[in-house]
Every structure is written in C-alpha cells, then in structure tokens.
Amino acid sequence: MKNMHVKPARRAAAVLTAAGMISSCAVGTADDGKDGGGKTVAYPTKGISVLAPGSPGGGWDTRARGMSQALTQCKVIGEKATVSNKPGAGGTIGLAEFLKHKGDAHQLVVMDTVTVLGGIAVNKSPVDLKSLTPVAGLTSSPSAVVVPKDSPYKDLKSLLADLRKKPKSIKWTGGSLGGGDHIQAALLGKSKGVSPDKINYVPTGGGGETVSLLLNGAATVGISTVTELRGQIEAKALKVLAFTEKPEGQEIKGIDAPSLAELGLEAAAVRSVGGVLAPSGLSDAQQQAVVDTVRKMRSSSCWKDVLKRNDWADAWTPGDRFGDLIQRQEGPVNKVLEELGLVK
C-alpha cells in the first residue's frame, strides 16, 4: 500500500467523462482502504505537524486547523497537532518544502486534487504527487459562481449567453492560475462553445482577493468556495448565480441558488477533493497507522462540526483509493490546461 503505485480501486473513485471533465464520486463506502492484516506500529509517538501550502485563512489553512482541532479536542491523539503555512504557486512551494520529510509519518500536508495538479503543471514544478504517500480524501467543497449585487446578470444563463457572444467582455476571477476555479470557468465557457483560451481570467491568492476584485468592479464574475464567500453573500454584497455542487443533493444553508446539475451543466462541474498526504518513504504499516488515525478523526464529533461549519461534504477516500483518484484526475486536468494555453 506504499505511496501512489496503487492497485485498481474496487469502486471507481473518480468519474471522468468523455469530454474530459473533472468530477468525482469519492464518498465513504464499505471499502475502508485497509490492507487486511499487515504489521501494526505505534502512532503517533510524538506531535503531528500539518502543513497548509496556502495562506492563513484560506481553504487549505481552514482544513489543516480543523484537523488539528479534531485530533486534539476529541482526543483522537494524545499528542499535539500543529499547523504551519507555506503559500505560493498553487501549493507547489509548500509541497516542495514537504519533500524533505521523507520517512517521517508525523508530517502531513493538506491539498486539493485539481488545484495541486494544476499548480504542478502550470508552474512546471518538480514535485511528483506519485512520490508521496496517500492518506485520505476528506472533503469536497461546493464553490459558488457569484457576481456583485448590482450586476446586470440575474442568473447564470444570461451571463453565459453574453460570454458566448463576447468572451473577453466577461472578466472572471478566482483562485490560482490553472487551479480549480480557473478550470471551472473554462469548462463553463466550453459548455457554450467558447474556447478555453478565450476566457478572460484574473487569478488571486484566495477568496479575500476574489471578493475585493468583484466589489471594486475589476471583475464581472467570481468563483470561490462557499466558505470563503459566505460572509459577503449573507451581507448581500454578492449574489450567487449557481453552486458547482450541493452536498449529497441538499440545499446549502441560507443560500437559495441552483447547482450546475440542476441547470443541466453537470458535465461542466469541477469537483476537487480535499485530502491529506504523508511523505514518501513510509512502510505499509506506517501508512496504515496514519490512515487509521485520520479515519478515527473523521468519525469524531469534532470533525463533523468542522464539516458543518465550513459547508463541506464528506468525501472519505482512504489510502490507495485516494492515490488512484489523484491519478485519474491528472489527465483531464492537463487536457484543460492545454486548451487554456497554460501547458504544452
């Protein structure tokens, strides 16, 4: 079960449509990822360090701190769990730093599949996710397509109609260049016959910058997670045209807007799964010990509170199944990036 040279999953962890879209059905199943009776090791034997390769307050930072809280407050572990940040280049700066922890099961890093795969490709990063040890996919985060409150666009249909006629007139903003938000904008355009390289996109470092560009009129439409946008949505400074998805088909508390699936655009929806990796060089027993610890955390009331607080859906995909998911998404991500003109 070592690293990401994995066996085929018993159930498909990702669905990649013929059009090369990126979606996922990574949810908890009876297949819990255990390797069926190998050696066991004591874990943890010291504090756990969780790296968030993004800025404080962003989505990765929120997940890392949620993990730290759940591990300690619900007494999943008896040791400390600390969080550090190393932002930049779609997570690849932090991941490059993480490589030095080879063989140390007490070092973990949070990431999102589509965002990190995009960051690696766009930044020509030497980081190879296959060299790291998959621990688990944990969450999927619904994103919102939003416009300022005074926008002339009352629904996504009208915005996409103008995008089709005058692609450059619609100024999109969201997260990193080549990340999940950028790919989402490209696929929405592509669904209406607009070539991805015609999308006018301004990347930012996260939800705060995205909101600023929308509110000062520098952007027409933005994409970011509901967690990062909720404050401005509830203050009615931004209005939601659509959600990329709704957790388990449920309404998102306090916000009335359709999902892309409800608008007939399910094939254009991007679902990046947020998860956890460990360094390379772990034994099968060490990997299993980390997976088991994160599994206990995922079952705790503290983690369930974290999911609820952040509008996250559970996307439990343990061990090698998470490695398989990452590999399945890599090709479609790179295809869209080629169409955007960001990679050759």
Coordinates of all heavy atoms in Angstrom, one line a residue, residues 29-82:
T29 N -17.4 4.3 1.6 CA -18.0 3.1 1.2 C -17.6 2.0 2.1 O -16.8 2.2 3.0 CB -17.6 2.6 -0.2 OG1 -16.2 2.2 -0.2 CG2 -17.7 3.8 -1.2
A30 N -18.0 0.8 1.9 CA -17.6 -0.3 2.8 C -16.2 -0.6 2.6 O -15.5 -1.2 3.5 CB -18.5 -1.6 2.4
D31 N -15.6 -0.3 1.5 CA -14.1 -0.5 1.3 C -13.4 0.6 2.1 O -13.3 1.7 1.6 CB -13.8 -0.4 -0.2 CG -12.3 -0.5 -0.5 OD1 -11.6 -0.8 0.4 OD2 -12.0 -0.3 -1.7
D32 N -12.8 0.2 3.2 CA -12.2 1.3 4.1 C -10.8 1.5 3.8 O -10.1 2.2 4.5 CB -12.5 1.0 5.5 CG -11.8 -0.3 6.0 OD1 -11.1 -0.9 5.2 OD2 -12.0 -0.7 7.2
G33 N -10.2 0.8 2.8 CA -8.8 1.1 2.5 C -7.8 0.3 3.3 O -6.6 0.5 3.2
K34 N -8.2 -0.6 4.2 CA -7.3 -1.4 5.0 C -6.6 -2.4 4.1 O -7.2 -2.9 3.2 CB -8.0 -2.0 6.2 CG -8.4 -1.0 7.2 CD -8.8 -1.7 8.5 CE -9.1 -0.6 9.6 NZ -9.5 -1.3 10.9
D35 N -5.4 -2.8 4.5 CA -4.7 -3.7 3.7 C -4.8 -5.2 4.2 O -4.2 -6.1 3.7 CB -3.2 -3.4 3.7 CG -2.5 -3.4 5.0 OD1 -3.1 -3.8 6.0 OD2 -1.3 -3.0 5.1
G36 N -5.7 -5.4 5.2 CA -6.0 -6.7 5.6 C -5.0 -7.5 6.3 O -4.7 -8.6 6.0
G37 N -4.5 -6.9 7.4 CA -3.7 -7.8 8.4 C -2.2 -7.7 8.3 O -1.5 -8.7 8.5
G38 N -1.7 -6.5 7.9 CA -0.2 -6.4 8.0 C 0.3 -6.1 9.4 O -0.5 -6.1 10.3
K39 N 1.6 -5.7 9.5 CA 2.1 -5.4 10.8 C 1.5 -4.0 11.2 O 1.1 -3.2 10.4 CB 3.6 -5.2 10.6 CG 4.4 -6.5 10.5 CD 5.8 -6.4 10.2 CE 6.5 -5.2 10.9 NZ 7.9 -5.1 10.6
T40 N 1.5 -3.8 12.5 CA 1.0 -2.6 13.1 C 2.1 -1.9 13.8 O 3.1 -2.5 14.3 CB -0.2 -2.8 14.1 OG1 0.3 -3.6 15.2 CG2 -1.3 -3.5 13.4
V41 N 2.0 -0.6 13.8 CA 3.1 0.3 14.5 C 2.4 1.2 15.4 O 1.2 1.6 15.2 CB 4.0 1.0 13.5 CG1 4.7 0.1 12.6 CG2 3.1 2.0 12.7
A42 N 3.1 1.6 16.5 CA 2.5 2.6 17.4 C 2.5 4.0 16.7 O 3.5 4.4 16.1 CB 3.4 2.7 18.7
Y43 N 1.4 4.7 16.8 CA 1.3 6.0 16.1 C 0.2 6.8 16.7 O -0.9 6.2 17.0 CB 1.1 5.8 14.6 CG 1.0 7.1 13.9 CD1 2.2 7.7 13.4 CD2 -0.2 7.7 13.6 CE1 2.1 8.9 12.7 CE2 -0.3 8.9 12.9 CZ 0.8 9.5 12.5 OH 0.8 10.7 11.8
P44 N 0.4 8.1 17.0 CA 1.7 8.8 16.9 C 2.5 8.6 18.1 O 2.0 8.4 19.2 CB 1.3 10.3 16.7 CG 0.0 10.3 17.5 CD -0.7 9.0 17.3
T45 N 3.8 8.8 18.0 CA 4.7 8.7 19.1 C 5.3 10.1 19.5 O 6.1 10.2 20.4 CB 5.9 7.7 18.8 OG1 6.6 8.2 17.6 CG2 5.4 6.3 18.6
K46 N 4.8 11.1 18.7 CA 5.2 12.5 19.0 C 4.1 13.3 18.4 O 3.2 12.8 17.8 CB 6.6 12.8 18.5 CG 6.8 12.6 17.0 CD 8.2 12.9 16.5 CE 8.3 12.7 15.0 NZ 9.7 13.1 14.5
G47 N 4.3 14.7 18.4 CA 3.4 15.6 17.9 C 3.3 15.4 16.3 O 4.2 15.1 15.7
I48 N 2.1 15.7 15.8 CA 1.9 15.7 14.4 C 1.9 17.1 13.8 O 1.3 18.0 14.4 CB 0.5 15.0 14.0 CG1 0.5 13.6 14.4 CG2 0.1 15.2 12.6 CD1 -0.8 12.9 14.2
S49 N 2.6 17.3 12.7 CA 2.7 18.6 12.1 C 1.9 18.6 10.8 O 2.1 17.7 10.0 CB 4.1 19.0 11.8 OG 4.9 19.2 13.0
V50 N 1.0 19.5 10.6 CA 0.2 19.6 9.4 C 0.5 20.9 8.6 O 0.4 22.0 9.1 CB -1.3 19.6 9.7 CG1 -2.2 19.5 8.4 CG2 -1.7 18.5 10.7
L51 N 1.0 20.7 7.4 CA 1.4 21.8 6.5 C 0.2 22.2 5.7 O -0.4 21.4 5.0 CB 2.5 21.4 5.7 CG 2.9 22.5 4.6 CD1 3.4 23.7 5.2 CD2 4.0 21.9 3.6
A52 N -0.1 23.5 5.7 CA -1.1 24.1 4.7 C -0.3 24.8 3.7 O 0.3 25.9 4.0 CB -2.1 25.0 5.4
P53 N -0.3 24.4 2.4 CA 0.6 25.1 1.4 C -0.1 26.3 0.8 O 0.0 26.6 -0.4 CB 0.8 24.0 0.4 CG -0.4 23.1 0.4 CD -0.9 23.1 1.9
G54 N -0.9 27.0 1.6 CA -1.6 28.2 1.2 C -1.6 29.2 2.4 O -1.1 28.9 3.5
S55 N -2.2 30.3 2.1 CA -2.2 31.4 3.1 C -3.1 31.2 4.3 O -4.1 30.5 4.2 CB -2.6 32.7 2.4 OG -1.8 33.0 1.3
P56 N -2.8 31.8 5.4 CA -3.7 31.7 6.6 C -5.1 32.2 6.2 O -5.2 33.2 5.5 CB -3.0 32.6 7.6 CG -1.5 32.6 7.3 CD -1.5 32.5 5.8
G57 N -6.1 31.5 6.7 CA -7.4 31.9 6.4 C -8.0 31.3 5.2 O -9.3 31.4 5.0
G58 N -7.2 30.7 4.3 CA -7.7 30.1 3.1 C -8.3 28.7 3.3 O -8.3 28.2 4.5
G59 N -8.7 28.1 2.2 CA -9.3 26.8 2.4 C -8.4 25.7 2.9 O -8.8 24.9 3.8
W60 N -7.1 25.7 2.5 CA -6.2 24.6 3.0 C -5.9 24.9 4.4 O -5.8 24.0 5.3 CB -4.9 24.6 2.2 CG -5.1 24.1 0.8 CD1 -6.1 23.2 0.4 CD2 -4.3 24.3 -0.4 NE1 -5.9 22.9 -1.0 CE2 -4.9 23.6 -1.4 CE3 -3.2 25.1 -0.6 CZ2 -4.3 23.6 -2.7 CZ3 -2.6 25.1 -1.9 CH2 -3.2 24.4 -2.9
D61 N -5.7 26.2 4.8 CA -5.4 26.5 6.2 C -6.6 26.1 7.1 O -6.4 25.6 8.2 CB -5.2 28.0 6.3 CG -4.9 28.5 7.7 OD1 -3.8 28.1 8.2 OD2 -5.7 29.2 8.3
T62 N -7.8 26.4 6.6 CA -9.0 26.0 7.4 C -9.1 24.5 7.6 O -9.4 24.0 8.7 CB -10.3 26.5 6.6 OG1 -10.2 27.9 6.5 CG2 -11.5 26.2 7.4
R63 N -8.8 23.7 6.6 CA -8.8 22.3 6.7 C -7.7 21.8 7.7 O -8.0 20.9 8.5 CB -8.7 21.5 5.4 CG -9.0 20.0 5.5 CD -8.9 19.2 4.3 NE -9.4 20.0 3.1 CZ -8.7 20.3 2.1 NH1 -7.4 19.9 2.0 NH2 -9.2 21.0 1.1
A64 N -6.5 22.3 7.5 CA -5.4 21.9 8.4 C -5.8 22.2 9.9 O -5.5 21.4 10.8 CB -4.1 22.6 8.0
R65 N -6.3 23.4 10.1 CA -6.6 23.8 11.5 C -7.8 23.0 12.0 O -7.9 22.7 13.2 CB -6.8 25.3 11.6 CG -5.5 26.0 11.3 CD -5.6 27.5 11.5 NE -4.4 28.1 10.9 CZ -3.2 28.1 11.5 NH1 -3.1 27.6 12.8 NH2 -2.1 28.6 10.9
G66 N -8.8 22.7 11.1 CA -9.9 21.8 11.5 C -9.4 20.4 11.9 O -9.9 19.8 12.9
M67 N -8.4 19.9 11.2 CA -7.8 18.6 11.5 C -7.1 18.7 12.9 O -7.3 17.8 13.7 CB -6.8 18.2 10.5 CG -7.4 17.7 9.2 SD -6.1 17.1 8.0 CE -5.4 15.8 9.0
S68 N -6.3 19.7 13.1 CA -5.6 19.9 14.4 C -6.6 19.9 15.5 O -6.4 19.3 16.6 CB -4.8 21.2 14.3 OG -4.2 21.4 15.6
Q69 N -7.7 20.7 15.3 CA -8.7 20.8 16.4 C -9.3 19.5 16.7 O -9.5 19.1 17.8 CB -9.7 21.8 16.0 CG -10.9 21.9 16.9 CD -12.0 22.8 16.3 OE1 -11.9 23.5 15.3 NE2 -13.2 22.7 16.9
A70 N -9.8 18.8 15.6 CA -10.5 17.5 15.8 C -9.6 16.4 16.4 O -10.0 15.6 17.3 CB -11.0 17.0 14.4
L71 N -8.3 16.4 16.0 CA -7.4 15.4 16.5 C -7.1 15.5 18.0 O -7.0 14.6 18.8 CB -6.0 15.5 15.8 CG -6.0 14.9 14.4 CD1 -4.7 15.4 13.7 CD2 -6.1 13.4 14.4
T72 N -7.1 16.8 18.5 CA -6.7 17.0 19.9 C -8.0 17.2 20.8 O -8.0 16.6 21.8 CB -5.8 18.3 20.0 OG1 -6.5 19.4 19.4 CG2 -4.5 18.0 19.3
Q73 N -8.9 18.0 20.3 CA -10.1 18.3 21.2 C -10.9 17.0 21.4 O -11.5 16.9 22.5 CB -10.9 19.4 20.6 CG -10.3 20.8 20.7 CD -11.2 21.9 20.3 OE1 -12.4 21.7 20.1 NE2 -10.6 23.1 20.3
C74 N -11.0 16.2 20.4 CA -11.8 14.9 20.6 C -10.9 13.8 21.0 O -11.3 12.6 21.0 CB -12.5 14.6 19.3 SG -14.2 15.4 19.2
K75 N -9.6 14.1 21.4 CA -8.7 13.1 21.9 C -8.5 11.9 21.0 O -8.4 10.8 21.5 CB -9.2 12.7 23.3 CG -9.3 13.9 24.3 CD -9.6 13.4 25.7 CE -9.7 14.5 26.8 NZ -9.4 15.8 26.4
V76 N -8.4 12.2 19.7 CA -8.1 11.1 18.8 C -6.6 10.7 19.0 O -6.2 9.6 18.9 CB -8.3 11.6 17.3 CG1 -7.8 10.5 16.4 CG2 -9.8 11.9 17.1
I77 N -5.8 11.7 19.3 CA -4.4 11.5 19.7 C -4.1 12.2 21.0 O -4.8 13.1 21.4 CB -3.4 12.0 18.6 CG1 -3.5 13.6 18.5 CG2 -3.7 11.4 17.3 CD1 -2.5 14.2 17.5
G78 N -3.1 11.7 21.7 CA -2.7 12.3 23.0 C -1.5 13.3 22.8 O -1.0 13.7 23.8
E79 N -1.1 13.5 21.6 CA 0.0 14.4 21.3 C -0.6 15.7 20.8 O -1.7 15.9 20.4 CB 1.0 13.8 20.3 CG 1.4 12.4 20.7 CD 2.4 12.4 21.9 OE1 3.0 13.5 22.1 OE2 2.7 11.4 22.4
K80 N 0.3 16.7 20.6 CA -0.1 18.0 19.9 C -0.2 17.8 18.4 O 0.5 16.9 17.8 CB 1.0 19.1 20.2 CG 1.0 19.5 21.7 CD 2.0 20.6 21.9 CE 2.0 21.1 23.3 NZ 3.0 22.2 23.5
A81 N -1.0 18.6 17.8 CA -1.1 18.7 16.3 C -1.0 20.2 16.0 O -1.8 21.0 16.3 CB -2.4 18.1 15.8
T82 N 0.1 20.5 15.3 CA 0.4 21.9 15.0 C 0.2 22.2 13.5 O 0.3 21.2 12.7 CB 1.8 22.3 15.4 OG1 2.8 21.4 14.8 CG2 2.0 22.2 16.9

